[in-house]
Amino acid sequence: MLGVCYYPEHWGIEKVEEDFRRMKELGIEYVRIGEFAWSRIEPERGKFNWEWLDETLDIAEKVGLKIILGTPTATPPKWLIDEHPEILPVDKYGHKKNFGSRRHYCFSSPIYREEVKRIVFIIARRYGKHPAVVGWQTDNEYGCHDTVRCYCQECKEAFQKWLEKKYEGDIRKLNEAWGTVFWSQEYRSFREIELPNLTPADPNPSHVLDYYRFASDQVVEFNKLQVEIIREFSPGRFVTHNFMAGFTDFDHYKLSRDLDFSSWDNYPLGHTLVFMKLKGMEQNPFDRTGYPDLISFSHDLYRGMGKGKFWVMEQQAGPVNWAPYNLWPGKGAIRLWTWQAFAHGAEVVSYFRWRQAPFAQEQMHSGLLTPDSTPTLYFQEIKKVFEELNTLDLHESVKSDVALVFDYEADWVFSIQPHGEGVHYLDLVLRFYTALRRLGLNVDVVPPGVSLDDYKLVVVPSLPIVREEYLSVFEKVGGLLVFGPRSGSKTESFRIPKEMPPGPLKKLIPLEVIQVESMGLKHTETLRWGGKSYSVNVWREMVRSDVPETLASFEDNLGGVFKNKNVFYLSFWPPVEFLTDFFEKLALERGLIVKKLPEGICLQKRGRFTFVFNFTSEEIPLEIPKDTRVVLGSEKIEPMDLVIWEETS
Amino acid sequence: MLGVCYYPEHWGIEKVEEDFRRMKELGIEYVRIGEFAWSRIEPERGKFNWEWLDETLDIAEKVGLKIILGTPTATPPKWLIDEHPEILPVDKYGHKKNFGSRRHYCFSSPIYREEVKRIVFIIARRYGKHPAVVGWQTDNEYGCHDTVRCYCQECKEAFQKWLEKKYEGDIRKLNEAWGTVFWSQEYRSFREIELPNLTPADPNPSHVLDYYRFASDQVVEFNKLQVEIIREFSPGRFVTHNFMAGFTDFDHYKLSRDLDFSSWDNYPLGHTLVFMKLKGMEQNPFDRTGYPDLISFSHDLYRGMGKGKFWVMEQQAGPVNWAPYNLWPGKGAIRLWTWQAFAHGAEVVSYFRWRQAPFAQEQMHSGLLTPDSTPTLYFQEIKKVFEELNTLDLHESVKSDVALVFDYEADWVFSIQPHGEGVHYLDLVLRFYTALRRLGLNVDVVPPGVSLDDYKLVVVPSLPIVREEYLSVFEKVGGLLVFGPRSGSKTESFRIPKEMPPGPLKKLIPLEVIQVESMGLKHTETLRWGGKSYSVNVWREMVRSDVPETLASFEDNLGGVFKNKNVFYLSFWPPVEFLTDFFEKLALERGLIVKKLPEGICLQKRGRFTFVFNFTSEEIPLEIPKDTRVVLGSEKIEPMDLVIWEETS
Amino acid sequence: MLGVCYYPEHWGIEKVEEDFRRMKELGIEYVRIGEFAWSRIEPERGKFNWEWLDETLDIAEKVGLKIILGTPTATPPKWLIDEHPEILPVDKYGHKKNFGSRRHYCFSSPIYREEVKRIVFIIARRYGKHPAVVGWQTDNEYGCHDTVRCYCQECKEAFQKWLEKKYEGDIRKLNEAWGTVFWSQEYRSFREIELPNLTPADPNPSHVLDYYRFASDQVVEFNKLQVEIIREFSPGRFVTHNFMAGFTDFDHYKLSRDLDFSSWDNYPLGHTLVFMKLKGMEQNPFDRTGYPDLISFSHDLYRGMGKGKFWVMEQQAGPVNWAPYNLWPGKGAIRLWTWQAFAHGAEVVSYFRWRQAPFAQEQMHSGLLTPDSTPTLYFQEIKKVFEELNTLDLHESVKSDVALVFDYEADWVFSIQPHGEGVHYLDLVLRFYTALRRLGLNVDVVPPGVSLDDYKLVVVPSLPIVREEYLSVFEKVGGLLVFGPRSGSKTESFRIPKEMPPGPLKKLIPLEVIQVESMGLKHTETLRWGGKSYSVNVWREMVRSDVPETLASFEDNLGGVFKNKNVFYLSFWPPVEFLTDFFEKLALERGLIVKKLPEGICLQKRGRFTFVFNFTSEEIPLEIPKDTRVVLGSEKIEPMDLVIWEETS
Ligand SMILES: [Zn+2]
Ligand SMILES: [Zn+2]
Ligand SMILES: [Zn+2]
């Protein structure tokens, strides 16, 4: 099903009915509104202006559109900030941020939390049972613009309380956990603890990790405040949030537990440029389509978060305004992205936005209509998708034989202590993911701790902190289980484990990481495996191993691939080429059907349908399996096109 | 005529007479003094030390030199700052700047404005009618060191008043203009408005543009305060200011209306390095001469500002101290730059500085004399220029058949919303300018709104905001009229026009820009025109056109060159190669004589004289037209040399 | 002799005896402890916890280890900071730094100085005469984390007093020295003077240089406070400090005058990456060994500082955690570095650290043992070194025929006024040093002003400020004396000398530098000498010379190599290739034995021993001189190995 994001307050109520009718014609079913409209709802404290929103919802009902209502808490209005300037956040340099854009609030602010409860209560009470309202979105893109981590006085006090609770009021526990004996950092009370910014040298990583957890928890708490009120006043409606992929400053898994399902905002072109920059790449072969595996990964991530269900709340539907540069999506790309989402299990794909605003910060961000209401080139693609969608029954879900374990805490550990250039958790994860996808395998992305019993292959790109509950799950894995570097390398307190890395994982594979080296992007060492050589940079580990099998190793014998029963450990930053070869071998061993695909070609199965996408600029000939029926496209896939076939047997 | 910048306070009065006599011998006629000497004039509040300046002016009169007196307001002395520290400016991070260099004041400060009026009044009253004083320079290089935009409390209050006036006291007009409905940015009163710094996300571009206009106006007001006092107390003397080319934070056109004519400070080597960096260029073929078109452009710009009259107030006359690196000018370069200025219509070229100071910040900035008073290598070149100048009568002015429309507001729009890497207004302007100069055409650089009736070709590299008065001028253009990308793309309030871009220009050429893409520096698309292909990066626009003629287009048919009657629109960032070919065709159509010149060769006409400059390191053979007489040089132009011929018919 | 750095407070007293016994077995003689342990010694004001330290020292005595006790002043504990937050330093942006790492204090703080005296007194009184204590280290790595230059209010006041003293209470002297007439910077009293940060344009270089001197003096004073107390209470023990090579923000020579000898912390891999970055190099052929000449240079520097005696207090003994990336040292590198230190005259090499800490900021910094007490790969290398050391009698000292004059003030002058990209004093110094080392010459690094009578060749890479006492030493030099660019270019007050550069050096070589150019890294000019061409970038000087001999010159005749009697002046940034050829010629003239070595091969003599080190990855065949006896290694030197021979005649 398709949706769209819409801002009735931008256009005046007179436009709304016409817009809603045109949406309906296009095939739109869901409309998200309201998430930045606080100043239009409450232009002064206690003075409400409901008319426009009442009418909008009534027209939606009349036209037959379903509304997702956003809470407007990402944009507290000026009068509120002027009443309580202490709501404003403070950056790591100690600069107070100003009103004048969005996300200008501190998640910890007690006053702002009261105001948030007040406004959400008022809106939920008024519209919670409106027949047009089918669901809610809390706030908007938590974490955008680097706003999770605030360094204000109120955060400091809240952090002290958070620590006091975590360490059960015993400062000696904190001192022990953080190793504050180092550099005379010992504290005598929780009141002495500062936020970890503006230190002359690096702050204590245990201190920083607890602060990151605290900051993440503040977002979770902030969101939960809203959810509880909505649930009370809007029974039977779902609550979701539109996450930004790649914004890992808070734990999306933890927050999503309070939601009915997760949504995410899919902007392939900008996200790809940001990711390429992270990897230090200069050439971008996917600059008009986005890097396909980066997109698929997020679909699989948020599907896993919602127990099989997810939405794309904002789908790029034209050029945007915020990336280093902003190309037009290639011809066919919008349709391709939409189908890609559905192939990965999306329930709804909702385009951003209905009409390009001719004013303010996002005036260069396109919509389905230009500011003068003319359909864009991309409008037609959506029409086509809608028609195609009607020919298929997509009620089945995505099943995978392969799981990839993803962990927000791992990302924090890597970012607090990269130990060298190029050491980024997301890069490592994408290497594992990409290799699996090049083999044509469906992948479930799951958090550590959930059952992995049904998978034939489980890959853990890295899991520095292995909690007890994670370990017990790993012990039950019957399939193959592959760990990447730094797994088990830290305790919960960001210490090296007493038993040495990989810490608790030594139960699964008895080896010991003695020392690591970061190699940067230019220094390389050669890995040998199965008669082939692979060039490795970024990271290596020196391993002491009593395990019988060393499958692959470096020329200097310092590390490689280790095996114990069904468990593998990779002590280096693996190149995609190696992982593809390696996973192929493992998959074949376990009887998985693999199909080696060139870069830019993606295969995904949902129920009885198989989708193959061509993100390249070449026509790709494809061998369609027997006992299948092509339901869309043909066996020669045009550039930026797809084929779908259905099992017939 | 030649001039020089001189600091008698650095050397003691005993040196002045000797220095003045040596200047006179060299051929110097004008001497600028006094512009940083506040602490020597008024060492304590109200206690004045006039002796040294009285004597300096008397000696000048005696020796026969003409004095330009600078107001010392760029350097308020320490006692004044200590009395009123609120004069100090605040940068965009909220850091108060310190005393200890120059330009340490806020243009909005009411206290500083009073102090400025006081000191200018006192100096103008004393010297306004001194026979040696022929003119005045206000302050020095407004805008240098990023000092136009201040974020202090006084600027905030002044900005609120400025907005209140602009929006006629009606905050609803401001809300409508800025589109503050977006992201709940609505204001209830002008007192609520902040300066647009330190926002978590980008501030509202309409807000920023108004702030940039305000900041520019503060400079204009600040300057006008001084001019009015000088005019009252120094009748018959001119008032000018020494602008820095490329410092576009305030509107030089607007400020120059209060001057008698404009001057500028010409430092080719440093300016070229800065410009090459802006363009991301690594090789600089002009590192000992400066990029010739960059220099010529400024001459043409400031000539246009002064209705045909301009000075070079500071001419680089040796290596400077402030560029990323500081090479010696090539042998002959000083002479070349001097002649180039005169060829473009300069009245006076004044070298910076007479003698290198052996102390303080500019001790590595050379002068005509070394600190021990020895002439530099470059001294001899100036002597030669002076002798050559005496053989020519340069009373005639520069005439051009071609106009280029330049707009400071356009630069602000581009810088507020570049929308992608490489999108710089000055780069775009220089592409148009360079192409015209490669055809050997004289170019007038003019602001939008002045009459264009007499030109055969008018180019507008970009004019995002087309005010009514600009449009009416364009409508009257009889020659060919070429608009570059983004023209007409914004309203005065930085909104997309209701009628879509190019907004009011649709009257001239009925097309519509639906969407734009920024392409960065590495992505390219191919433009086809006249059997040739051109590689385009940076920017493209998608155009809906009912115009009969599309002269050039891209492979994907998205944009190109459009024509309606005498009006052309280029919907992309044009490479110089394309523009040269294209303008050649247009110029020939209109009967202009074009002469295609290689890079580094410049041809300029002033009255009956034609000048050809060789900025390359190769000897260039040249065909001298018939009916002319060579008055300087010969038909083989040596590297860093020139030839001048005179029409004889 | 060997040593190690140890933190008993990290492990508990129960571990200490075992650790000490293992050290002893390995051959360790010296153990440094205590330098960050303030919070363990004094957990609250006035409440002391001596037990652990008493026992540690007693065990050391029992086991037979010698203790160097560090004062814990680099890490004031939280309770002290909370009592007196004004101790915290302020960075150049005006941001107050926070507690939470180390070096969080201002050297000028009167309160902190009192606290430092108190704690040093208490510790020195208690342990000053303990039989295990043989020496003291003050604080730790002064200057690390950019902490020498503080911009707090107390520094401002202390700076004013420092200036008042220097200029004998006469503000006119300061105004004259700084040239404050420039830009109206004149001061009426010392109370008006600010710290030179946050100025809109560059601050006055004379102002900055005095501030740098002040900041350096504050460190020297701060250190002296400690030394005086230690000397009183710990008679017969030495006092040293562990300097960081390349941290030139304070004058190590000046501080070392209060010490018995200097020590330094030798981290070849990280230092090399930092240095390569400074030079803009992309490839690092020494990424597993460090750039050998960079290491040797520091040995020679600190040997000179201690009148022939020095220690390596912290020797990298495995991968570290703080460089851009952190490779494992190559196999054999630890042994090579240790021998290299002894070859250059080190008395003790002390490894950092005994055991890797599993917690806090340095948990990724390796030790000789892993956190679980297992010996690392490198442990064995140290064992081998110890055994080899026992076979040699290294009581003789290093003698050199060549001196290189090094000056911290020169580094400040270059950094205050680089005048162009690539102009770094350390790069220039290393070029001279490297060329001498490629000729197999021993080099003494000495400060300006010490006697140079005994050297056959003295090189001065640059000495901008030539004080009277320096000149008188140069006048007495009997050997060849080579000056590099910018020598004599500034007065003590950072002005260009009245007699023009090279100022006082004109007495030695009558030439005059008229002007300089900085060329950046890409612009090159060709130097011709002895039939060869050399490509020069970065810097050139235009020289007026009446000296008979110009040995080498540029194509445009602007500068080169000048000679007067035994004195040479190089007016450009010389490439190593040129310097090697040039010094070879000079050395041969003076009868020195030179041996041209390829990059990565180092030869060093200590007493009757000659050491040759192979830092390359190739085996190097070597011709061993007659009348010698090989005492270690052989004439084919393996990669990362060495040979030592002894004179037998
Ligand atoms: Zn906060
Ligand atoms: Zn201001
Ligand atoms: Zn301080």
Side-chain angles (χ1 to χ4, degrees), chain C residues 89 106-108 150-152 154-155:
Chain C
C106 164
F107 283 102
S108 302
C150 171
Y151 297 87
C152 79
E154 292 184 326
C155 280

Side-chain angles (χ1 to χ4, degrees), chain A residues 65-166:
Chain A
L65 288 171
K66 295 167 185 161
I67 296 291
I68 296 95
L69 208 48
T71 66
T73 51
T75 49
K78 189 67 189 348
W79 58 259
L80 177 51
I81 296 301
D82 284 348
E83 274 181 25
H84 298 292
E86 64 273 35
I87 289 171
L88 294 170
V90 171
D91 72 13
K92 63 181 166 181
Y93 304 105
H95 300 144
K96 185 148 216 154
K97 293 304 186 112
N98 269 347
F99 181 88
S101 62
R102 61 177 181 177
R103 306 213 61 69
H104 42 281
Y105 69 82
C106 164
F107 283 101
S108 302
S109 165
I111 287 170
Y112 192 52
R113 288 187 176 195
E114 285 311 307
E115 289 294 325
V116 161
K117 286 198 281 188
R118 190 180 63 83
I119 193 70
V120 173
F121 159 72
I122 288 169
I123 296 173
R125 188 180 53 175
R126 185 171 189 94
Y127 297 120
K129 295 166 188 163
H130 192 290
V133 173
V134 298
W136 294 80
Q137 175 190 295
T138 51
D139 202 283
N140 182 73
E141 294 178 348
Y142 290 131
C144 203
H145 317 306
D146 194 18
T147 51
V148 167
R149 293 166 192 155
C150 170
Y151 297 86
C152 79
Q153 183 63 21
E154 292 184 327
C155 280
K156 180 169 144 180
E157 287 164 21
F159 181 46
Q160 290 171 348
K161 284 187 194 127
W162 185 96
L163 290 169
E164 192 158 12
K165 193 173 165 206
K166 172 169 179 179

